[in-house]
Amino acid sequence: MAIPRRNYGRTAILLAICGVGIGIWLFGEGESAAPRDLEPARTPGPATDRIDSARGTIEESANPDRHGDAAPSTKPGATDSATVEVELTCESPNEIRTLAIDAFTSHGTAVVAHAIGRPIATGAIATLEIAPLTWHRIQVTADDGIVLSRRLRLGNGEHHRILVPCPPRTAEIQVVGPSPELLPHLQLDITDRGQPDTPAIRTGLDESGACRVRIVGPAVARIRTTRRTAVAAVTTDGRREFEPGSEPVRLTPREPLLGVVVQASGEALPAMVHLDPRQVHYDVERAPADRAACTVFRRERAERATRIAISTAAGGRQFADPQSAKQAADVWTFSIYDLTNVGELRVRFEGDITDEGTSQRAQLWVQSQASDDRQRLAPAPDRDGYVAYLPVGDYRLFWLPTPGREETAVDFVRIAASEPTELELAPRELQRWQIRFPAAPAGVMLDLEWPAESHAGSSDAGRFEADLGRIPRVGERATIRLDHQEREFVAEFTSVDTANRHATITSALTKADAVTINVEPLEHGGDPDLRLADASLGSTRVWLLPGDRLRLHSTEIVDDQRQMLGWFDVTPGQPEVTLRPRGRWATMRFERDRGSARVVHVGADSETVELKLRPTTTPFRFFVADGTTAIHVEVDSVRQTFGTNLAEFVVR
């Protein structure tokens, strides 16, 4: 049995290795990959005369040592710095009085560099020095309105120039709804639809929830929650778009928000917060710019969390119970002293798998000695073994070669928060078996499950390669799944050859009728989508046993709106059926512009089909299928219900 040991002796070596890995990671990726909505500016290689058009602006980058991604300079005397030059061009002379350029941490609100520009005949110009090889968010402000927000990562000695036109109008934006405690922590992404090739402007709010931007208009805004998610912001009268004007634009989040704050002795700490406790592996020292005094989430998502992962420089990795938070209107505050310390368990396996008949290791799980809490060890983020991040305490490790069958790996291991607990184990290897289904329908993708709910391979030729933790027995049950029609068929092992690891199965699928389904479109040239419940039917060929009834529905896009064609029952007994839409055309319109809407069709058996709509005040065609008993239209979480005999559906 493996003996758990604390790795005091190799701590220095491991730290050195981790340091090298972190350096490589920072060099390759920076703090994170650039988000889709704020892509980094294009920075061409060594071509001082080359100017490319990027995102509605003109940019050029000159660095004789750089080609492609930012890299350290190799020229003698190169400095550890880079510069960004922004020139703002205006239609009228002396239109801009002041120009400022700020560099923020990539995803944060902390200013790390600031410069004031000077006016020129055509506008204004400003130059800012920033650290190389690091992602920054560059923000340019003309007078009191933000005109540009861009993420950049430059090489040593690189000079990046941006030539940007000055939008003519200033929009004063006031966010209402969130509490005064949450407002200063919110960030807006503002997309100027009047400049479709310009990336979104990202800006924070002042303590009153206000900001000013210069745009052409119309524009739409989103409130950032996590790095890659956001909540739409709408005007107080429900409109998605807004125009700059003399009056402030009042925006409110379409969904409730919630901020999470971590404090020590009453002071907020920069923290990384994740609602998924598996994300606790993120190292706050590796990406300090990712820490925030308040992390914003969708409230509905935050309230579903049962354990929150928190990382701070002061407390390291910790878990938080949502019930322990001091819950104000829209801010949860955790005391660092009430959090549960988290330790790292890392397991490496001895030797390599070389036997051709051996495919992989069995699942390794860890369970608390004090409760039934258990989790499976996952591959380490640095690919060095397998890890679990656990509350400090005592645990046991066990293999799970097949569901419901545990094999002890380590009786006792203690997890502490100070440094990783490391083990080396001989792997519990699984054996590769060949399982044949001679009567399988040719060319049909089948999934084999054995034991119950354990995937044992897929095949479209009736031959499965399965990694098994034990030997199957003749007469033992298995399951054949046709995922495309969400259907299971009972299977049974008919022969088992333990010497060669071969087995044979048969299945009730051999008694099923194959039925090919054709669907007529609503309009010539249409492409109807055949669906089963909420998923598309992956094939127009299905298998049905005597007495089966397959309930389907079909949809089709007509005039940019998805239409419901009807509900259909398919039964065995005929090799081919054709489904034809039956119903009538009506019209639908919205009394005012909306960002999005959903329509719910209710069938005779109370089944429902939910489709997205493109709301418009212009009437559009709307198909009412036979068998529909009610139609619901949902806008901004408000449902309106209609009968099915209307000639026009008017959504208010």
Side-chain angles (χ1 to χ4, degrees):
M1 182 181 71
I3 304 298
R5 58 186 182 276
R6 302 294 305 278
N7 191 22
Y8 294 105
R10 290 187 294 175
T11 298
I13 296 174
L14 284 174
L15 287 175
I17 294 172
C18 290
V20 173
I22 290 168
I24 293 171
W25 178 88
L26 284 172
F27 173 78
E29 296 182 348
E31 293 153 14
S32 74
R36 301 183 188 93
D37 56 345
L38 283 174
E39 296 179 3
R42 296 195 310 173
T43 48
T48 55
D49 297 328
R50 176 181 175 183
I51 298 180
D52 289 337
S53 176
R55 294 285 190 175
T57 64
I58 296 176
E59 305 192 27
E60 61 178 348
S61 187
N63 181 356
D65 297 312
R66 176 177 175 192
H67 187 77
D69 287 340
S73 176
T74 57
K75 283 183 72 73
T79 59
D80 291 333
S81 66
T83 54
V84 179
E85 178 185 298
V86 176
E87 182 177 338
L88 192 68
T89 59
C90 304
E91 294 183 358
S92 303
N94 304 316
E95 182 178 339
I96 298 300
R97 298 183 301 276
T98 62
L99 181 68
I101 180 171
D102 293 281
F104 295 81
T105 53
S106 179
H107 293 282
T109 57
V111 177
V112 295
H114 172 77
I116 298 295
R118 57 183 175 83
I120 58 177
T122 57
I125 191 169
T127 303
L128 182 69
E129 186 174 294
I130 60 175
L133 307 178
T134 301
W135 283 106
H136 292 89
R137 179 168 64 87
I138 304 299
Q139 180 173 291
V140 179
T141 305
D143 291 342
D144 56 355
I146 300 169
V147 297
L148 176 74
S149 181
R150 172 81 87 257
R151 291 188 74 237
L152 288 177
R153 181 174 181 263
L154 304 181
N156 279 343
E158 184 171 354
H159 180 79
H160 189 79
R161 180 170 173 265
I162 304 175
L163 180 66
V164 57
C166 181
R169 297 187 290 175
T170 299
E172 181 177 346
I173 297 173
Q174 177 71 53
V175 176
V176 298
S179 70
E181 292 75 24
L182 185 59
L183 279 173
H185 300 290
L186 300 181
Q187 287 189 322
L188 281 182
D189 281 355
I190 300 167
T191 301
D192 187 356
R193 291 181 172 173
Q195 301 183 91
D197 294 329
T198 300
I201 295 174
R202 179 167 299 175
T203 177
L205 307 175
D206 63 20
E207 292 185 356
S208 67
C211 67
R212 294 172 68 90
V213 295
R214 294 183 71 101
I215 57 175
V216 175
V220 295
R222 300 184 301 164
I223 298 175
R224 300 298 301 183
T225 50
T226 59
R227 275 192 192 177
R228 300 190 181 276
T229 62
V231 168
V234 297
T235 62
T236 50
D237 59 357
R239 289 178 293 109
R240 188 76 175 89
E241 287 188 339
F242 61 88
E243 294 273 3
S246 57
E247 297 295 325
V249 177
R250 292 168 61 85
L251 298 178
T252 188
R254 178 171 281 175
E255 302 176 41
L257 304 176
L258 183 73
V260 175
V261 175
V262 183
Q263 290 185 347
S265 302
E267 295 293 329
L269 298 176
M272 296 176 65
V273 181
H274 297 278
L275 300 179
D276 182 353
R278 293 172 297 182
Q279 302 301 316
V280 77
H281 66 79
Y282 282 102
D283 187 347
V284 295
E285 297 302 327
R286 185 183 69 180
D290 293 342
R291 292 176 281 177
C294 178
T295 306
V296 182
F297 299 99
R298 285 180 168 88
R299 186 179 192 108
E300 181 267 340
R301 181 168 174 257
E303 289 180 337
R304 294 201 311 266
T306 57
R307 177 183 282 176
I308 297 175
I310 294 176
S311 297
T312 61
R317 300 183 179 101
Q318 295 176 301
F319 285 143
D321 180 352
Q323 301 303 316
S324 69
K326 180 182 177 182
Q327 300 186 6
D330 52 9
V331 176
W332 287 359
T333 303
F334 293 95
S335 170
I336 194 174
Y337 309 113
D338 295 333
L339 305 182
T340 301
N341 291 328
V342 174
E344 176 186 318
L345 170 66
R346 186 177 293 259
V347 176
R348 299 179 181 88
F349 295 107
E350 300 171 353
D352 297 320
I353 295 177
T354 57
D355 182 2
E356 292 183 359
T358 302
S359 62
Q360 61 183 28
R361 305 176 182 94
Q363 297 178 10
L364 182 62
W365 288 65
V366 58
Q367 179 175 342
S368 170
Q369 298 275 12
S371 69
D372 292 332
D373 290 345
R374 56 173 58 187
Q375 69 180 72
R376 181 182 176 184
L377 273 74
D382 58 6
R383 300 184 180 181
D384 182 18
Y386 289 73
V387 296
Y389 296 94
L390 307 163
V392 296
D394 298 332
Y395 293 84
R396 75 180 184 94
L397 290 168
F398 62 90
W399 302 107
L400 198 64
T402 60
R405 182 185 179 190
E406 298 179 7
E407 298 178 4
T408 298
V410 178
D411 288 321
F412 177 87
V413 60
R414 176 160 291 170
I415 304 299
S418 55
E419 66 176 42
T421 299
E422 301 189 344
L423 302 173
E424 285 190 8
L425 298 178
R428 167 61 165 92
E429 298 169 349
L430 302 178
Q431 303 300 320
R432 176 64 54 88
W433 279 68
Q434 306 291 329
I435 303 175
R436 295 183 63 248
F437 178 22
V444 179
M445 183 59 68
L446 304 177
D447 290 336
L448 174 63
E449 292 183 354
W450 178 86
E453 301 179 0
S454 179
H455 187 258
S458 301
S459 173
D460 61 358
R463 293 186 295 272
F464 304 91
E465 287 193 347
D467 302 317
L468 306 184
R470 67 175 178 86
I471 299 173
R473 299 184 299 272
V474 172
E476 192 169 3
R477 289 292 182 91
T479 302
I480 292 291
R481 283 185 57 86
L482 276 75
D483 273 351
H484 75 270
Q485 71 177 82
E486 297 184 1
R487 180 66 192 273
E488 296 181 352
F489 294 88
V490 174
E492 182 178 298
F493 283 90
T494 56
S495 68
V496 175
D497 179 354
T498 57
N500 297 305
R501 297 175 185 153
H502 289 171
T504 305
I505 61 171
T506 187
S507 171
L509 176 60
T510 60
K511 301 177 182 178
D513 289 341
V515 181
T516 299
I517 304 173
N518 303 309
V519 184
E520 287 189 358
L522 269 174
E523 294 194 340
H524 179 71
D527 184 20
D529 179 26
L530 193 59
R531 303 182 68 85
L532 174 68
D534 293 329
S536 292
L537 193 65
S539 171
T540 57
R541 195 178 183 206
V542 298
W543 276 258
L544 301 173
L545 292 171
D548 281 349
R549 184 189 73 149
L550 186 64
R551 184 71 163 170
L552 303 171
H553 67 271
S554 185
T555 67
E556 180 182 336
I557 295 178
V558 178
D559 298 335
D560 289 332
Q561 300 283 5
R562 186 165 288 279
Q563 307 287 348
M564 168 66 178
L565 276 61
W567 287 272
F568 308 98
D569 290 326
V570 178
T571 57
Q574 48 187 331
E576 188 171 0
V577 297
T578 299
L579 309 180
R580 297 178 174 85
R582 300 188 184 278
R584 63 180 183 84
W585 284 104
T587 60
M588 179 178 288
R589 65 179 175 87
F590 290 74
E591 286 194 337
R592 56 180 177 170
D593 288 333
R594 302 283 191 171
S596 62
R598 297 183 300 173
V599 60
V600 181
H601 300 259
V602 183
D605 294 337
S606 298
E607 69 267 58
T608 60
V609 175
E610 182 178 305
L611 304 174
K612 289 184 178 180
L613 282 179
R614 297 167 57 90
T616 173
T617 55
T618 303
F620 58 89
R621 292 192 296 167
F622 180 73
F623 191 75
V624 182
D626 288 353
T628 305
T629 59
I631 292 173
H632 308 302
V633 180
E634 296 180 354
V635 181
D636 296 336
S637 302
V638 177
R639 171 175 285 192
Q640 301 175 52
T641 300
F642 301 90
T644 60
N645 57 350
L646 300 177
E648 183 181 38
F649 297 81
V650 181
V651 183
R652 294 176 171 81

